[in-house]
Amino acid sequence: MSTIRQIGLSSVSSPKFKPNQDCKYEPLMNGTSLMQWDEYGYRLYVIEEGSLERVIAFSFGKCCLSRGVSGMTYVCQVIYGEDRLLVVQSEDTDELKFLHLNLPVSYISQNWPVQHVAASKDGMHLAVAGLHGLILYDIQLKKWRVFGDITQEQKIQCKGLLWLGKIVVVCNYIDSSNTYELLFYPRYHLDQSSLLCRKPLLAKPMVMDAYQDHILVTYRPFDVHIFHARLLGELSPSSTPDLQLSTVRELSIMTAKSHPTAMRFIPEQLQRELASNNHISSSDSLDRDPARCLILRTNGELSILDLDDGREKELTDSVELFWVTCGQSGEKTSLIEEISWLDYGHRGMQVWYPSPGADPFMQEDFLQLDPELEFDREAYPLGLLPNAGVVVCVSQRMSFSACTEFPCFEPSSQAQTILHCLLRHLLQRDKKEEALRLAQLSAEKPHFSHCLEWLLFTVFDAEISRQNANKNQISVPKHAGNCSLLEKTCDLIKNFPEYFDVVVSVARKTDGRHWADLFSAAGRSTELFEECFQRRWYRTAACYILVIAKLEGPAVSQYCALRLLQATLDESLYELAGELVRFLLRSGKEHDETPSDSADRLSPRFLGYFLFRSSYKKPSLDKSTSFKEQSAHVASVKNILESHASYLMSGKELSKLVAFVKGTQFDLVEYLQRERYGSARLENFASGLELIGQKLQMGTLQSRLDAEFLLSHMCSVKFKEWIVVLATLLRRTEVLFDLFQRDMRLWKAYSVTLQSHPAFSEYHDLLDGLEKRLSSVANSQEK
């Protein structure tokens, strides 16, 4: 947010200065003289330069991130204000939306403002603490749980919240003794009688974390204590469970570094695998204490701490946020198991993959700076959706309201997919089966096709760059058994029906000079075209035509285009057929030019290839075009189009005929002149009127427009039979009157036919009107 005036922007983005209205002007236009945050960081108070008449307060929301002694989850992201919560939720359609939660007035009015928020691991339960006490919210049941005894609530001053499975852990400050303690409450009951355990702490904790049944507490200057929680009895209202807390590790680390602002356990890979194989989570044989944790310090330094010997290894700096992903999701559908953690800072998002060595975290090469993880600079990452393989971000939108002179800032959620980065990482490490399984998990997601395309594009783009870099070096022959990353990527994507669209979309985004390299890995362009053709994916097949022209030659591309033209006509895909017609009519001339010229002159519209710039006149199949030269494929185009026109005209499929003419620029006038005694002939007026009336449902606007289109063409070739039928259906009395006053024999036949057929009774009023007009004209001529 800024008080600098947004000069040059429209009034939608910036309020206009109104010199005639003294009190109505853009707020803070002259800048600010004083600013001050409130005690809790929710409001910013501002006094305008040169004006002491008012204090302006801006309200803010806080992101529930890995900070201090509050816990964090990766399934649910929360922004909280002084009296409300905004929860980012993922819908079934993979759309993100905000759930706006107002805290119960009975609680927040006594304990304003919100101080700590923590979400459970599954994201279905929220713990919220104000000045005193805490409340719980069940997102599924949409119910709040509060302390029944307000005196118990007032005795709790929450300084941090954690979730330990179904247990909420409260870091409580005891005012009378100036000490701190941990309180363990089951989520089903907030009351002293249900308190599972009370653990006194040595001092004020700096940071805390919990993973499975371990809790980490850190004191100043840098003392680390790790507790193991053991639950005796069933955690339910009907039983009396007991929680025992034992200290399993204590470290006192001498360091001159800045204080930690967040710490997270790193789960042991072996322990997770054993537990999942034995379906056991709390067996004594598997109770291996966490051996490492990540530390983020106040100066942005990220390091890894060995909890056995206290050694610390610096990883990177300038980090603002980080997320430990390994072992954080128990779901089999998690897409982020191949990541150790992610961090975010001024460099953008960085991914830390487990190293293939014996020690997955201490190798030098397990950091991958992925250039594809650059987000929109106006989007701020909140967390991860592991089952969707996306990073959830929030950005600010401005909106204006009539009730205030100030713009409103509305948080907007968006998702950034990281699936393509994960797949490329697995393929680089020859983990083909894992990559395929990961892709299959995400195959139903809306962004899946885009991810595959982005994966292939980045791999191919890197291959092109590598080739360019190696041009001046001696080329090393590739071993037969050594597949390139591009070939591995193509082999992976071939398992999905999106393959054909993905390959040709990547071709569209790259220079045609490199297509040979792409299709040597992806497969011959003619074979891919043929597969699309057999599956009746004609739009995708059409995209391959220009690639075939480039790689296989114009003759092959023309042959493929002619086959496709016939198929698209059979399927009534007339817009697509029109693009193919224009390609075929130009292909001979285009291939006479240099490839670079023709590539530049082709517009990328129409799936990338067949629409030409508006400065080029659309060729139509009339006498003025190059049909005088009658090249073989042009003659074939003409024969195909005329054959289809005859098929439509014979079956009186007139709406399709109009769409065909408009889509392909077919010369209907020339065709009608030649076929007026052939396929376009109407044998009988009565049967023709009845049949065409059935084909053209005149109750719809589109059918009336189609009839008008045909009528204008029939009038231009003076095709009386068709003019009479279409003008009758359209009730165009002026056209019929003009026709009949010149040919009274035709009028008598028309009149008798309409009167003698009961089906034409709806036209009797039209007949009466025409008869009156013709009679009056005849009488005036006699006089």
Side-chain angles (χ1 to χ4, degrees):
M1 296 174 61
S2 171
T3 59
I4 300 172
R5 192 162 191 226
Q6 304 298 300
I7 298 172
L9 295 183
S10 68
S11 59
V12 175
S13 302
S14 179
K16 293 252 177 125
F17 175 54
K18 300 176 182 177
N20 297 331
Q21 301 177 24
D22 294 335
C23 60
K24 292 288 185 182
Y25 65 97
E26 182 176 337
L28 303 173
M29 188 179 69
N30 298 321
T32 57
S33 60
L34 291 170
M35 291 189 292
Q36 178 66 45
W37 285 97
D38 73 348
E39 181 182 357
Y40 302 104
Y42 286 111
R43 290 175 182 262
L44 180 66
Y45 297 104
V46 176
I47 296 178
E48 187 170 7
E49 186 71 46
S51 171
L52 300 176
E53 296 175 0
R54 60 180 177 180
V55 177
I56 302 168
F58 294 97
S59 295
F60 285 83
K62 298 182 182 181
C63 299
C64 187
L65 300 168
S66 358
R67 283 287 181 270
V69 290
S70 290
M72 168 76 183
T73 185
Y74 302 114
V75 179
C76 171
Q77 287 77 40
V78 182
I79 297 174
Y80 58 97
E82 54 194 348
D83 61 354
R84 68 199 60 214
L85 306 179
L86 291 177
V87 184
V88 182
Q89 287 189 310
S90 174
E91 295 294 286
D92 295 335
T93 57
D94 268 5
E95 296 265 328
L96 297 179
K97 72 168 189 176
F98 275 115
L99 172 65
H100 195 132
L101 288 178
N102 285 305
L103 271 64
V105 176
S106 59
Y107 175 79
I108 197 64
S109 62
Q110 301 296 318
N111 301 294
W112 178 95
V114 173
Q115 304 236 340
H116 300 281
V117 179
S120 62
K121 184 178 177 182
D122 61 4
M124 290 294 103
H125 296 267
L126 299 174
V128 185
L131 211 55
H132 293 95
L134 75 147
I135 54 175
L136 305 178
Y137 184 71
D138 188 320
I139 291 179
Q140 283 183 322
L141 299 179
K142 300 180 180 179
K143 287 187 177 180
W144 291 97
R145 187 176 299 281
V146 299
F147 272 95
D149 186 343
I150 197 168
T151 58
Q152 293 183 21
E153 180 179 86
Q154 291 301 307
K155 289 178 182 178
I156 296 175
Q157 290 189 52
C158 179
K159 301 300 179 184
L161 287 172
L162 293 173
W163 281 92
L164 197 69
K166 298 178 181 179
I167 300 169
V168 61
V169 185
V170 183
C171 176
N172 181 37
Y173 172 63
I174 306 170
D175 211 353
S176 58
S177 59
N178 192 26
T179 56
Y180 294 82
E181 64 180 356
L182 295 182
L183 304 177
F184 295 78
Y185 290 99
R187 73 183 185 198
Y188 57 77
H189 194 205
L190 290 178
D191 191 82
Q192 192 68 30
S193 62
S194 298
L195 185 66
L196 299 171
C197 179
R198 184 190 297 268
K199 174 69 177 177
L201 297 178
L202 300 179
K204 179 182 180 179
M206 274 195 300
V207 294
M208 290 168 46
D209 185 36
Y211 176 69
Q212 289 183 349
D213 46 9
H214 286 84
I215 299 173
L216 177 145
V217 180
T218 308
Y219 311 105
R220 290 179 185 267
F222 196 8
D223 294 337
V224 180
H225 286 207
I226 298 174
F227 304 109
H228 178 258
R230 188 180 179 192
L231 184 67
L232 302 175
E234 184 186 359
L235 193 66
S236 70
S238 59
S239 61
T240 54
D242 181 39
L243 187 75
Q244 295 182 353
L245 216 61
S246 57
T247 304
V248 294
R249 200 169 268 137
E250 294 183 5
L251 291 104
S252 185
I253 301 170
M254 301 296 293
T255 176
K257 295 181 178 180
S258 59
H259 292 297
T261 185
M263 294 176 69
R264 290 287 174 265
F265 281 125
I266 300 174
E268 290 292 322
Q269 187 79 20
L270 178 64
Q271 182 180 350
R272 286 193 297 117
E273 289 175 358
L274 285 172
S276 61
N277 290 340
N278 292 281
H279 306 288
I280 300 171
S281 59
S282 58
S283 169
D284 292 337
S285 62
L286 293 176
D287 272 344
R288 292 186 53 192
D289 302 325
R292 298 179 184 85
C293 71
L294 275 182
I295 304 174
L296 176 63
R297 300 183 183 275
T298 51
N299 63 355
E301 179 185 299
L302 187 67
S303 58
I304 189 168
L305 174 67
D306 191 313
L307 295 172
D308 289 327
D309 56 21
R311 282 187 305 165
E312 187 178 344
K313 178 184 176 183
E314 186 177 335
L315 298 172
T316 185
D317 57 9
S318 303
V319 171
E320 184 178 350
L321 309 170
F322 72 96
W323 299 271
V324 177
T325 54
C326 54
Q328 288 295 335
S329 174
E331 302 177 39
K332 292 182 179 178
T333 57
S334 174
L335 302 185
I336 57 174
E337 284 299 304
E338 281 298 325
I339 298 178
S340 295
W341 57 82
L342 296 92
D343 70 56
Y344 177 79
H346 75 85
R347 301 182 192 91
M349 190 72 71
Q350 296 181 115
V351 184
W352 300 77
Y353 296 107
S355 178
D359 188 340
F361 304 119
M362 300 306 284
Q363 300 288 331
E364 295 296 328
D365 62 344
F366 76 109
L367 166 64
Q368 300 266 332
L369 291 173
D370 203 319
E372 297 311 317
L373 280 175
E374 288 190 8
F375 294 170
D376 180 350
R377 291 303 174 99
E378 293 185 3
Y380 188 79
L382 291 181
L384 308 170
L385 287 179
N387 59 336
V390 298
V391 176
V392 178
C393 304
V394 65
S395 58
Q396 289 211 108
R397 301 279 175 86
M398 268 206 303
S399 66
F400 292 88
S401 170
C403 62
T404 175
E405 58 187 314
F406 294 97
C408 299
F409 291 91
E410 298 177 349
S412 172
S413 57
Q414 58 192 71
Q416 172 89 20
T417 178
I418 56 173
L419 177 64
H420 59 290
C421 302
L422 307 188
L423 292 174
R424 186 170 67 249
H425 156 69
L426 290 171
L427 292 173
Q428 283 172 333
R429 298 195 174 189
D430 280 329
K431 294 186 175 182
K432 298 178 184 178
E433 293 180 4
E434 289 88 339
L436 178 58
R437 190 165 64 247
L438 179 63
Q440 287 169 339
L441 282 174
S442 192
E444 300 301 319
K445 306 292 181 185
H447 61 267
F448 181 63
S449 181
H450 169 73
C451 285
L452 294 183
E453 183 180 326
W454 204 231
L455 168 67
L456 183 58
F457 176 79
T458 52
V459 169
F460 183 46
D461 191 54
E463 179 72 13
I464 293 171
S465 302
R466 186 186 60 78
Q467 289 178 3
N468 292 337
N470 294 340
K471 272 184 180 178
N472 298 326
Q473 300 177 6
I474 301 172
S475 60
V476 181
K478 191 176 76 172
H479 297 291
N482 187 16
C483 285
S484 69
L485 183 58
L486 180 60
E487 291 168 330
K488 293 175 188 174
T489 304
C490 290
D491 289 342
L492 170 69
I493 305 175
K494 277 176 187 173
N495 291 283
F496 302 94
E498 291 88 350
Y499 180 68
F500 304 96
D501 272 319
V502 165
V503 170
V504 80
S505 295
V506 169
R508 288 165 51 193
K509 292 179 173 68
T510 51
D511 195 317
R513 291 173 296 178
H514 301 292
W515 284 352
D517 296 322
L518 174 62
F519 285 91
S520 65
R524 285 191 66 176
S525 54
T526 47
E527 293 174 359
L528 296 173
F529 167 86
E530 190 63 35
E531 185 68 29
C532 293
F533 188 85
Q534 295 301 326
R535 296 187 186 198
R536 302 161 74 97
W537 296 346
Y538 297 136
R539 294 187 184 279
T540 305
C543 293
Y544 281 95
I545 297 292
L546 196 64
V547 179
I548 293 171
K550 176 83 175 175
L551 300 180
E552 307 287 342
V556 181
S557 69
Q558 288 164 12
Y559 168 72
C560 292
L562 285 169
R563 289 177 60 208
L564 193 56
L565 174 60
Q566 184 64 65
T568 53
L569 291 174
D570 293 342
E571 293 290 328
S572 303
L573 301 172
Y574 296 125
E575 286 189 16
L576 188 55
E579 302 299 343
L580 291 165
V581 167
R582 288 187 276 281
F583 169 77
L584 284 162
L585 292 181
R586 296 184 61 89
S587 60
K589 188 164 72 172
E590 290 292 334
H591 283 286
D592 289 339
E593 301 171 358
T594 60
S596 61
D597 287 341
S598 64
D600 289 342
R601 292 174 67 174
L602 288 171
S603 165
R605 208 183 139 205
F606 169 58
L607 304 170
Y609 297 123
F610 300 127
L611 259 182
F612 303 100
R613 290 184 182 172
S614 56
S615 58
Y616 291 99
K617 184 180 177 183
K618 286 185 178 179
S620 59
L621 296 181
D622 57 16
K623 294 176 182 177
S624 64
T625 60
S626 58
F627 273 132
K628 293 177 181 177
E629 286 114 47
Q630 287 293 322
S631 63
H633 75 280
V634 170
S636 300
V637 172
K638 186 177 182 182
N639 290 337
I640 289 172
L641 294 180
E642 288 185 349
S643 173
H644 189 70
S646 297
Y647 163 74
L648 294 177
M649 187 61 90
S650 299
K652 302 300 180 287
E653 300 289 344
L654 301 181
S655 291
K656 286 187 177 181
L657 179 67
V658 173
F660 163 72
V661 171
K662 289 179 178 178
T664 62
Q665 305 294 307
F666 179 72
D667 192 340
L668 184 60
V669 170
E670 182 193 8
Y671 171 78
L672 291 173
Q673 287 172 338
R674 189 171 61 254
E675 290 292 327
R676 66 187 307 153
Y677 300 113
S679 59
R681 184 180 177 187
L682 281 177
E683 295 288 345
N684 180 280
F685 167 71
S687 60
L689 180 62
E690 191 170 5
L691 176 62
I692 296 169
Q694 291 171 357
K695 293 287 186 179
L696 287 173
Q697 296 295 325
M698 301 309 291
T700 64
L701 175 62
Q702 188 57 52
S703 293
R704 294 187 65 82
L705 293 173
D706 291 344
E708 293 279 6
F709 179 87
L710 289 170
L711 179 59
S712 65
H713 281 76
M714 296 302 178
C715 289
S716 65
V717 294
K718 298 181 172 58
F719 208 153
K720 284 187 180 180
E721 295 92 328
W722 277 94
I723 292 172
V724 172
V725 169
L726 292 169
T728 301
L729 289 170
L730 287 166
R731 296 178 174 269
R732 294 284 296 274
T733 53
E734 69 280 0
V735 175
L736 293 169
F737 174 73
D738 187 55
L739 199 64
F740 294 147
Q741 71 171 343
R742 298 179 186 180
D743 189 345
M744 294 303 291
R745 278 195 313 162
L746 183 60
W747 157 247
K748 289 176 182 176
Y750 176 81
S751 177
V752 169
T753 304
L754 288 185
Q755 287 175 342
S756 60
H757 283 72
F760 300 146
S761 59
E762 61 178 299
Y763 299 111
H764 286 177
D765 59 333
L766 176 68
L767 208 58
D768 294 340
L770 282 169
E771 190 166 11
K772 287 177 183 177
R773 288 187 65 180
L774 290 169
S775 307
S776 64
V777 169
N779 292 336
S780 62
Q781 286 176 350
E782 287 174 6
K783 290 177 182 178

